[in-house]
Amino acid sequence: MSQLTTYRHFLVIVACFMPNFLQAQSVQELALKFPGEEAVVLDHSIAYQLSVKDGQPYVESTESQKILYLSANAGAYMSKYSFYQSGFHELKGYEAFTKTADGKKFKVTDFKTANSLSSGVFYDDVKETSFDFPGIAYGSVGNLNLSRIHKDPHLLSPHYFTRFIPLVSGELTISFPKGMSVKYIIKGNDRDKVKFQHDSRRNETVYTFRVNDLKGERPYADAPDNSYYALHVVFYIEKYQDEKGQTISYLANTDDLYKLNQGFIKGINKEVSPELRSIVDSLTKNVVSLEERAKRIYKWVQDNIKYVAFEDGMEGFVPRDANLVCARRFGDCKDMSSILTVMLNAAKVPAYFTWIGTRDLPYHYTETPLPIVDNHMICTVRLNDRFLFLDGTDSHCAFGVPSAFTQGKEAMVAINENEYKILAVPVIEKEKNLIEDSTFVELTETGIKGNIKLKLSGYYSMDMHRQLVSYSGKDLEKYFKSRFYRGSNRFNLTNFEIGDRSDFNNITLTAQFDLQGYARKIDDEWFLNLNLFKHYEHEEIDFPKRQMPVAYTFLNKRKYITVLRIPEGYKVSAMPGGKSFRNDMWGFEIRYEQKNNQIILTQEFDNNHLLITPDKFQQWNRVLENLFPAYKETISLSKK
């Protein structure tokens, strides 16, 4: 991911640790208004002052946050707070203190600042300053005041009103000179709660956005990034007048954004090193097909260049030279884009640097032509009239298939210094992402035993290839026991085998198992529920309480086939009729059939949506209402 992700996350986190007045409402009134909450943000006020200095936009901000504690126990786990700074968002000053209910003031003196590590392979120049509010008790108010210089106004981050605890009062103020044009877009849920005010003074324009009594949002594990639903304001400088009165287009459209992005890549990859040239030549020797050349180069990068994100300051935006990436054998997303582009072009395959936003971001280039739209870089290849999107950071992505987290997104493709294209990355159709799970079972005196054949294709297969690299030994056995699990917690995996691993798009796994106590025998009659899988149990959506969407990684189809061999001397005495149900959202089919001495149960499901919005929640639940009763159906076998 690029540095842009970090700074967007930086201000979101700052907005979460917060915020200004208790006179209007008592502690008791707020506790009644927000039952069950340990704390509320009394006020979060942030003011941006935009101006022009030395011919360029200049931005400073001041921020005030006040948190009221509604519980005597809140201090045990809500006293610790932190704020962030970086080379692009420089901290000028800060203070923090607690005001107790009886008016005492306890100033924070112990601030600890350290590098903020986003993950084990990610480093950037964001620093986190953490501290504890002292004297936290019922009715205490934690205060935090900050001031910053935003050194590159291209990188102004959205302001988030929504956070994990309720917001009593929130205000965003943007002041700018008359010769400057500032645009804004309000995103997320509860947009109608934002009160906007436009004031004009003699030499200044002021935008004010106010919000009152906003509920806290607890995230769900299956929700998309909070930018899809959290109430926030995206604002940016469209154009401005410099000291000479000339109007400068700043971020008015995608042309301005491309000009900014192009500046990050124009100084690199002036030549191909002998080492890199030798690798390209060895991979493409006697290969006429451009597509085959591209496949070989992409596979070499996946196998030989390790993804490690190290992004300090401008390194978050400027790709490293392909020759350096080759020599180091590691790089971040921009570096992967760099080496792929150079190697492919060296092999006469048209390839281009490409900026793209992952599905963490809900923004579009045409709506918001800003750096926040993209947080990732890939390489785009042109083969005749086809554009293929190659993500070097995904070491198990099949050639020609976009990484799952870029599906459906817009990509800004750098054709040359002055020309670009904005292309839509395809969403891979569900028919290409398949699970076909076949279970062949027979009855035993103590339960059932059987064989499993699991065929995976598309993203399911790519995920499995990824897991096979992650696990080994006992950990791999534990993973497969979970992966093959069916029936009940008495499932026992006795053996498993992994098929051909040469094709990321397809893989087949086989296994053997036994399951004690699953079938019941009463006198001479067997009773058995063939629904070894009960998918979607406990996955009803909490509607209408839940207002954030449900996100899925990819579209898919899944088929689960269970084949029971009828024991010698027995016949089917009862077999369910099956059931199907489908609406505009999704659906299922469950069917039973008898073929010779076998009973075959087939369960089929599909997913047609990457994102389920709240208006679809009732349709989702309606399918489950029809599905769950079918899981209770049993078959019975009796003596002939």
Side-chain angles (χ1 to χ4, degrees), residues 164-183:
F164 298 125
I165 59 176
L167 172 67
V168 179
S169 175
E171 182 177 281
L172 165 66
T173 303
I174 307 167
S175 305
F176 52 95
K178 289 288 188 182
M180 182 179 288
S181 173
V182 172
K183 286 193 168 184

Side-chain angles (χ1 to χ4, degrees), residues 378-552:
I378 59 173
C379 172
T380 299
V381 170
R382 185 168 191 165
L383 297 174
N384 298 319
D385 59 346
R386 291 188 301 151
F387 286 96
L388 302 180
F389 303 94
L390 307 182
D391 189 342
T393 69
D394 190 340
S395 59
H396 293 90
C397 193
F399 177 83
V401 179
S403 48
F405 53 84
T406 61
Q407 292 179 94
K409 297 293 293 183
E410 290 179 339
M412 178 175 273
V413 183
I415 304 301
N416 55 48
E417 186 174 351
N418 300 307
E419 181 186 357
Y420 66 94
K421 290 181 179 292
I422 294 179
L423 303 176
V425 176
V427 175
I428 302 303
E429 53 266 35
K430 62 184 180 183
E431 289 77 13
K432 292 187 177 180
N433 303 312
L434 300 176
I435 286 179
E436 186 171 313
D437 184 305
S438 300
T439 308
F440 303 90
V441 300
E442 59 182 81
L443 298 168
T444 69
E445 288 301 318
T446 56
I448 61 173
K449 66 177 182 180
N451 299 303
I452 300 168
K453 184 176 184 180
L454 179 60
K455 296 171 63 177
L456 305 173
S457 64
Y459 289 126
Y460 281 123
S461 174
M462 297 174 215
D463 284 346
M464 179 56 69
H465 281 276
R466 204 169 288 116
Q467 297 299 328
L468 293 175
V469 172
S470 301
Y471 296 107
S472 61
K474 292 293 184 181
D475 289 335
L476 185 63
E477 291 181 23
K478 184 177 179 181
Y479 167 73
F480 273 119
K481 182 176 181 179
S482 172
R483 186 65 184 80
F484 282 115
Y485 174 88
R486 59 207 62 209
S488 77
N489 57 11
R490 300 181 73 178
F491 174 83
N492 178 43
L493 184 69
T494 57
N495 187 42
F496 65 87
E497 294 183 4
I498 302 166
D500 182 15
R501 297 170 62 175
S502 63
D503 179 8
F504 288 158
N505 246 326
N506 296 280
I507 193 168
T508 299
L509 309 168
T510 57
Q512 292 79 47
F513 73 97
D514 60 63
L515 187 55
Q516 301 298 314
Y518 189 74
R520 288 185 301 134
K521 188 178 183 183
I522 302 175
D523 296 328
D524 288 332
E525 193 165 11
W526 283 99
F527 298 91
L528 176 65
N529 186 332
L530 277 185
N531 290 279
L532 298 179
F533 297 99
K534 295 180 175 64
H535 295 290
Y536 302 103
E537 279 195 327
H538 314 298
E539 292 189 30
E540 301 93 333
I541 297 175
D542 188 9
F543 178 83
K545 180 180 177 181
R546 174 170 177 161
Q547 289 300 310
M548 58 185 69
V550 176
Y552 290 95

